[in-house]
């Protein structure tokens, strides 16, 4: 609001308007308002109920006993002022004008002897004025509460996490699922039958390859670990045969009964 | 096993790092649920008082606990970042108040109370702030959307529940007996524009009467 | 005039509320530049040591000062944030499965089984995790590298040996009766590595690779 030349708050407490920095402490009794302030002043109203409430409060009228003739007259004067100044006049203002005049005329009719409150033509208007007033005050109270972003900020300090890179976890099920999915695709031509035995052969194939990875010959015997039992010996042997079959290793023997040597397939390392 | 001070340090760290309010159930996960909700609550209370002299405070909101700056420090903060959060117009605030106090409410309800058309922008402003949302549709022609306030609204205004909203002004009370009551129990003098009436305006009472039909 | 403690409180508040590192020149604005850069720097040093025993620390970075959590507290924070651990894409997992079950295997072997090209990134991902390595080269044109799983792979999956991988003989059996019932387990929790952490197992499968025909 700081930049505004004219700030008006007819609903405010002390001063009613700031006109070019000068506080206006009360709205002049009649309709006299500095012309350029009038426009802003009129635009400040949120609608006919707001305007009516203003008129009632300004005149310090008992809201339960609204002098309809006087209020209607003033209301119409404001509406006329708005029209005169070519302010965009919402249809609601005219609807309200009609309603006020209707109430006024009904009050002029001779009254039956016992008037109950419900029959007071003003009752509905008063109810609406009170409800609007209540919400208007509630709005001011809400606005007075500290508001995030305007009056305070939430704290969220930087979370330092560069030290720890979070890597995806994989578990055995994931692998199994992935494998199953592969198999479910019809393009797997041959059935990849993987059994425990085959897996352990494959594991030993990898082991032998690692063993030979430094290059050069290893003695056949060195590839076996007899202390791990016969089954491991057999599997290692199967692994070696498979490696030979896949031409991943070469097995050589100079002549019968001399040591057997194993090395990575020739071309594999040397080309 | 962690000692209470270590637990407090961890709670403090987690809450300082979390941008949004954290419920106690969530905080317990810090300790793999090995620390009871009561203990956590007690330590949070301690933390809150540990921070009571600082520019930042620990508050308990609708959706959990959060550290936030104290409004008293806002004017310093504003010097550093000059762009101020915009204030909402009266139209937006009145619409918000009606939704907050009369929820769930349709646009028609709001227009009925305010006496003017509610522009879609007003609703959009409140929705984009995530302060209101649609909670259903009224079973009337057009099936209009029913709006209600969200937990974010409570969080952003530092409230734990709708019950902590400022009480509605009991406008009628003070005039009791003066006039035959209308549909509304006797209405009092409305706070006049120029200065609050003595007495009447002070300490608004909680609204207890049932909604007007 | 503010005393040093008040200045420190304001500095602390501003830094806790700031999203990015704040340079000293910026911090001086809190006090309308009435406090010298040296004083601010000295008070920041004090603040830093005030916070030295906490889960959050004040650090001086290239672009300014910032509060940040200590890495030691990371594992507590992780328990709380339901942020899902990232996941490998189906392509990565299938490649890994093929290497695990068919090792030693070349890229060509993998491509033959998967029916799609294997991007070098997939291999790189698994290599950088130290889950696979090259154990030799096949004696065929191009001398393709032979991949096998490593000990780290076994360790990370909690296996003592490859034999502890689920045996899959029953699968080839069901394959004979076409592939119908197999789609189910494969639809499991495989999500693209960079994708949003949708609920595990829910969302649609996403294949990051070019679709197989």
């Amino acid at each position: 609001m700081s930049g505004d030349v004219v700030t008006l708050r007819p609903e405010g407490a002390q001063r009613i308007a700031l006109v070019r920095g000068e506080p206006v402490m009360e709205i002049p009794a009649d309709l006299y308002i500095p012309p350029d302030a009038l426009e802003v002043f009129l635009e400040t109203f949120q609608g006919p109920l707001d305007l009516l409430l203003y008129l009632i409060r300004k005149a310090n009228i008992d809201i339960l006993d609204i002098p309809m003739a006087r209020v209607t007259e003033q209301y119409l004067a404001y509406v006329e002022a708005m029209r005169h100044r070519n302010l965009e006049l919402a249809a609601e203002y005219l609807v309200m004008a009609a309603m006020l005049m209707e109430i006024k005329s009904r009050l002029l009719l001779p009254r039956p002897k016992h008037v109950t409150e419900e029959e007071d033509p003003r009752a509905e208007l008063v109810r609406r004025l009170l409800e609007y007033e209540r919400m208007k005050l509630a709005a001011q109270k809400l606005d007075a509460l500290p508001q995030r972003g305007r009056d305070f900020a939430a704290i969220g300090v930087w979370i330092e996490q560069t030290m720890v890179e979070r890597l995806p976890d994989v578990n055995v099920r994931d692998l199994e699922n992935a494998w199953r999915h592969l198999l479910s695709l019809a393009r797997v031509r041959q059935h990849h039958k993987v059994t425990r035995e085959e897996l352990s052969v494959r594991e030993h194939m990898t082991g032998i390859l690692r063993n030979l990875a430094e290059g050069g010959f290893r003695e056949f015997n060195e590839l076996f670990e007899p202390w791990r039992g016969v089954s491991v010996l057999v599997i290692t042997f199967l692994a070696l045969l498979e490696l030979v079959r896949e031409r991943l290793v070469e097995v050589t023997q100079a002549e019968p009964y001399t040591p057997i040597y194993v090395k990575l397939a020739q071309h594999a390392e040397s080309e | 096993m962690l000692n209470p001070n270590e637990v407090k340090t961890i709670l403090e760290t987690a809450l300082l790092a979390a941008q949004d309010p954290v419920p106690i159930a969530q905080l317990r996960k810090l300790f793999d649920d090995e620390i009871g909700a009561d203990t956590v609550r007690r330590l949070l209370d301690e933390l809150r008082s540990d921070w009571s002299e600082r520019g930042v405070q620990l508050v308990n909101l609708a959706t959990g606990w959060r550290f936030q700056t104290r409004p008293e420090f806002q004017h310093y903060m504003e010097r550093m970042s000059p762009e101020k959060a915009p204030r909402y117009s009266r139209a937006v605030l009145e619409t918000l108040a009606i939704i907050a106090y009369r929820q769930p409410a349709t646009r028609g309800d709001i227009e009925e109370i305010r006496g003017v058309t509610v522009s879609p922008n007003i609703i959009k402003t409140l929705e984009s702030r995530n302060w209101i949302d649609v909670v259903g549709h009224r079973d009337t022609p057009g099936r209009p959307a029913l709006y209600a306030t969200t937990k974010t609204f409570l969080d952003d205004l530092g409230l734990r529940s709708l019950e902590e909203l400022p009480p509605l002004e009991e406008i009628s009370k003070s005039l009791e007996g003066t006039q035959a009551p209308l549909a509304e129990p006797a209405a009092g003098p409305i706070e006049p524009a120029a200065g609050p009436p003595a007495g009447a305006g002070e300490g608004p009472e909680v609204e207890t009467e049932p909604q007007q039909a």
Side-chain angles (χ1 to χ4, degrees), chain A, chain B:
Chain A
M1 287 268 181
S2 53
D4 291 357
V5 177
V6 183
T7 308
L8 283 144
R9 17 151 136 196
E11 85 285 4
Q14 298 294 8
R15 66 170 190 246
I16 272 154
L18 257 187
V19 179
R20 299 207 187 286
E22 289 295 307
V24 175
M25 299 312 286
E26 61 184 40
I27 293 293
D30 295 314
L31 255 184
Y32 178 75
I33 297 175
D36 51 351
L38 179 66
E39 221 157 297
V40 182
F41 179 71
L42 292 176
E43 277 179 338
T44 323
F45 290 112
Q46 292 296 300
L49 287 173
D50 200 22
L51 173 55
L52 264 183
L53 265 180
Y54 166 74
L55 294 175
I56 289 167
R57 282 210 234 113
K58 182 180 73 118
N60 212 359
I61 293 169
D62 177 358
I63 199 163
L64 291 182
D65 194 16
I66 302 171
M68 290 308 295
R70 196 170 127 210
V71 166
T72 304
E73 187 188 323
Q74 289 191 12
Y75 179 88
L76 290 175
Y78 273 91
V79 167
E80 197 45 49
M82 289 193 212
R83 285 168 78 154
H84 188 67
R85 306 202 65 86
N86 278 331
L87 290 179
E88 208 183 304
L89 190 60
E92 292 95 346
Y93 281 98
L94 300 177
V95 172
M96 177 60 77
M99 185 185 173
L100 291 176
M101 287 188 283
E102 199 227 327
I103 295 172
K104 195 177 85 176
S105 60
R106 278 170 61 195
L107 283 173
L108 292 174
L109 292 176
R111 298 206 201 184
K113 210 148 194 217
H114 301 288
V115 185
T116 65
E117 289 76 28
E118 286 74 30
E119 285 160 4
D120 189 323
R122 297 170 295 181
E124 171 64 10
L125 178 64
V126 169
R127 186 194 65 76
R128 291 189 63 188
L129 283 171
L130 287 174
E131 175 66 355
Y132 175 64
E133 168 99 77
R134 196 179 264 133
M135 288 303 133
K136 186 176 154 174
L137 293 174
Q140 289 167 21
K141 289 180 178 183
L142 283 185
D143 196 35
L145 291 176
Q147 203 178 90
R148 188 176 65 84
R150 189 189 68 188
D151 306 305
F152 64 88
I155 303 296
V157 304
W158 179 267
I159 300 176
E160 180 64 28
Q161 50 193 165
T162 47
M163 308 288 285
V164 189
E165 192 196 356
R166 204 152 177 211
L167 291 167
D169 282 328
V170 171
N171 61 41
V172 170
R173 280 269 323 154
D174 295 333
L175 282 189
E176 190 183 345
N177 284 340
W179 186 251
R180 279 169 188 271
H181 179 250
L182 286 170
L183 290 178
S184 74
L185 298 173
R187 71 178 46 84
V188 182
R189 261 161 252 132
Q190 71 279 50
H191 294 177
H192 286 287
K193 188 169 184 169
V194 180
T195 61
R196 285 189 195 286
E197 295 71 41
E198 193 187 345
L199 261 181
S200 68
V201 170
R202 299 219 151 255
E203 187 164 32
H204 279 82
M205 285 165 69
T206 298
I208 292 169
L209 288 175
R210 286 189 200 288
N211 230 322
L212 300 173
E214 301 109 70
F217 290 95
R218 295 291 296 277
E219 209 181 310
F220 182 79
N221 293 342
E222 287 174 33
L223 298 175
F224 294 87
E225 300 161 316
W227 59 91
R228 291 177 63 188
V230 176
S231 62
V232 173
L233 280 182
V234 171
I235 284 166
T236 311
F237 186 63
L238 287 175
L240 195 59
L241 289 181
E242 182 64 25
L243 286 170
V244 171
R245 194 181 69 79
E246 290 187 19
R247 306 208 318 155
L248 293 172
V249 302
E250 289 175 1
V251 181
T252 55
Q253 188 178 29
E255 50 187 278
Y257 307 111
T258 55
I260 300 172
Y261 289 98
V262 182
K263 72 189 268 282
L264 289 179
Q266 194 101 60
H267 305 284
E269 287 301 336
S270 61
E271 267 170 36
Chain B
M1 198 53 206
L2 297 164
N3 69 40
N5 268 334
E6 288 166 331
V7 172
K8 253 166 77 174
T9 303
I10 293 165
L11 284 172
E12 179 184 78
T13 306
L15 284 165
L16 283 171
Q19 184 95 40
D20 297 314
V22 191
I24 287 185
Q26 185 79 358
L27 289 168
R28 290 187 58 214
K29 291 196 194 148
L30 288 166
F31 314 104
D32 279 341
D33 289 333
E34 277 166 20
I35 293 179
D38 283 353
T39 310
V40 170
R41 200 169 291 115
R42 184 173 50 77
L43 292 171
L44 287 171
D45 277 330
E46 282 183 36
L47 259 184
R48 175 159 51 184
S49 59
D50 294 347
W51 279 83
S52 61
E53 303 289 311
R54 318 279 279 272
V56 164
Q57 60 186 338
L58 181 58
V59 293
N60 185 5
L61 300 165
T63 60
W65 292 69
R66 176 171 73 192
F67 275 111
Q68 60 189 41
T69 58
R70 281 179 203 279
E72 304 92 283
F73 284 75
Q74 190 63 18
H75 69 281
Y76 291 111
M77 306 299 127
E78 278 170 5
R79 288 182 189 165
M80 210 171 69
S81 54
E83 77 274 17
K84 275 188 196 150
R87 296 190 75 96
Y88 291 115
S89 67
R90 271 185 59 195
V92 169
L93 286 168
E94 288 180 8
T95 302
L96 178 64
I98 292 166
I99 295 173
Y101 286 91
R102 298 295 187 230
Q103 60 188 289
T106 64
R107 229 172 96 174
D109 297 341
I110 299 163
E111 290 177 346
E112 155 78 13
I113 293 176
R114 295 195 60 228
V116 287
T117 311
V118 171
S119 97
N121 280 335
I122 293 180
I123 299 286
K124 224 177 287 164
T125 299
L126 292 169
E127 278 185 321
S128 70
R129 183 83 199 251
N130 194 18
W131 277 1
I132 64 167
D133 62 1
V134 175
V135 291
H137 293 265
R138 185 167 288 159
D139 195 14
T140 50
R143 298 184 34 77
L146 283 163
Y147 294 99
T149 53
T150 62
K151 286 198 182 263
T152 306
F153 162 75
L154 295 174
D155 284 345
D156 284 357
L157 269 71
L159 306 171
R160 255 179 310 177
S161 77
L162 285 176
E163 284 166 55
E164 291 188 0
L165 281 175
L168 286 177
E169 213 77 47
E170 176 108 50
I171 294 166
S172 39
K173 200 81 180 219
S174 60
L175 211 76
E176 220 159 59
T178 312
Q179 283 280 307
L182 287 159
E184 193 69 25
I190 295 162
E191 267 190 31
E202 291 305 312
E205 292 147 276
V206 182
E207 159 135 6
T208 49
E209 105 252 43
Q211 301 297 307
Q212 315 92 306

